[in-house]
Amino acid sequence: SNAQTDKKLIRHGNTDFKNGKYSDAEVNYRKSLDKKYSHKAQFNLGDALYEQKNFAEAEKTFNDLIQHNTTEEIEANAYYNLGNTYLAQEKYSEAFEAYKKTLKINPDDNDARYNLEYARKKMIQQQNQQNQDKQDKQQEQQQNQQNQEQNQQEQQQENKSEEEQDQQQQQQQQQQQMSKEDAERMLKALENQEKKTMDEMNDKKAAQMKKRKIEKDW
């Protein structure tokens, strides 16, 4: 009775699957597995999950199925569908390996051979893109470093220019200060000279006046 129930659930699941009711099919397959494990229910559950684009869970389901002892036909198909789940997730190297295992079991599987070649091409493209992204990132880092060094040089040059301006301004101030001091010294010297001249003139004038006075007294 229990076996009939789990088979009945699988049949219901298959009907749901054919009608595109993948979520309902998943429920029936899981109920069947809860009652009794079967490779067929596990395999169909993986298909239902795949159709719902639940690729990560479908991948786990097919991997679990492969771990159980099953027929070569189911194992080959499980590897094939596992490859499809890897492709959907852009895991091209894993897909390539899955299709290889399919062909190892069934060398006449032309679909697996086609998908193998497709996965190989996508794997090469992905590796090339990763290499290009890595190269672009390195170039970007180098450019950023060059820009940083250039900014540092410009900042240093700007600081140096400011220092030179400060030094020049300081020199000008010193020169102006020296000029002011020189002018004051010159002015003082002139004042001293003028005072000396005036003193001499006053002495001479005084002497003349004295002389005249003497002459007048005569």
Side-chain angles (χ1 to χ4, degrees):
S1 176
N2 196 35
Q4 288 178 350
T5 302
D6 79 88
K7 288 180 179 179
K8 185 177 180 180
L9 287 168
I10 292 174
R11 285 197 300 270
H12 285 320
N14 292 344
T15 300
D16 291 332
F17 190 94
K18 288 177 183 177
N19 292 328
K21 298 179 180 179
Y22 304 118
S23 178
D24 292 339
E26 176 190 349
V27 171
N28 281 312
Y29 294 139
R30 288 190 185 279
K31 286 181 179 179
S32 174
L33 288 167
D34 287 340
K35 294 182 177 297
K36 180 182 177 182
Y37 180 85
S38 74
H39 298 132
K40 187 174 182 181
Q42 182 83 1
F43 187 94
N44 290 357
L45 173 62
D47 281 348
L49 291 165
Y50 180 90
E51 293 296 337
Q52 295 177 80
K53 301 187 185 305
N54 190 350
F55 302 121
E57 191 66 24
E59 173 190 330
K60 182 177 180 299
T61 302
F62 288 124
N63 268 315
D64 289 344
L65 174 58
I66 291 167
Q67 301 306 316
H68 288 80
N69 292 325
T70 183
T71 64
E72 286 190 348
E73 181 182 2
I74 293 177
E75 185 178 4
N77 289 331
Y79 272 121
Y80 180 88
N81 283 3
L82 178 61
N84 290 346
T85 64
Y86 284 137
L87 276 185
Q89 299 174 86
E90 297 184 355
K91 298 179 179 180
Y92 300 120
S93 60
E94 290 91 337
F96 182 81
E97 293 301 322
Y99 294 130
K100 273 175 61 175
K101 290 175 181 177
T102 300
L103 288 168
K104 186 176 180 181
I105 299 170
N106 182 14
D108 296 328
D109 191 335
N110 291 326
D111 290 338
R113 186 172 288 103
Y114 176 87
N115 286 5
L116 177 73
E117 181 61 18
Y118 177 80
R120 186 186 70 83
K121 289 180 179 179
K122 297 296 289 185
M123 179 174 60
I124 293 172
Q125 290 177 4
Q126 188 179 58
Q127 289 173 347
N128 290 339
Q129 185 62 48
Q130 289 173 350
N131 292 335
Q132 184 63 44
D133 292 343
K134 185 178 179 181
Q135 186 177 355
D136 291 343
K137 187 175 181 180
Q138 289 175 344
Q139 289 178 350
E140 183 180 358
Q141 289 175 345
Q142 290 175 355
Q143 185 64 43
N144 290 338
Q145 186 176 358
Q146 289 176 356
N147 291 339
Q148 187 176 3
E149 291 175 354
Q150 184 177 356
N151 291 336
Q152 288 176 350
Q153 291 176 355
E154 290 176 354
Q155 185 64 40
Q156 290 174 355
Q157 187 66 29
E158 184 177 348
N159 293 339
K160 184 177 180 182
S161 178
E162 290 178 356
E163 289 176 2
E164 290 176 349
Q165 289 178 0
D166 291 341
Q167 290 176 356
Q168 185 177 2
Q169 186 176 2
Q170 188 176 1
Q171 289 175 356
Q172 289 175 351
Q173 290 175 350
Q174 289 175 351
Q175 289 174 357
Q176 290 175 358
Q177 186 176 1
M178 288 176 65
S179 299
K180 184 178 180 181
E181 291 175 353
D182 290 342
E184 289 177 352
R185 282 197 296 268
M186 288 177 64
L187 181 61
K188 191 172 183 180
L190 288 171
E191 289 176 350
N192 291 336
Q193 183 66 31
E194 184 178 358
K195 183 179 180 183
K196 184 179 179 182
T197 302
M198 290 295 295
D199 290 344
E200 290 177 352
M201 288 177 65
N202 289 333
D203 291 343
K204 187 175 181 181
K205 185 177 180 181
Q208 288 176 353
M209 289 176 65
K210 188 176 181 181
K211 185 177 179 182
R212 288 174 187 167
K213 187 177 182 181
I214 292 172
E215 289 176 351
K216 187 176 181 182
D217 288 344
W218 273 103

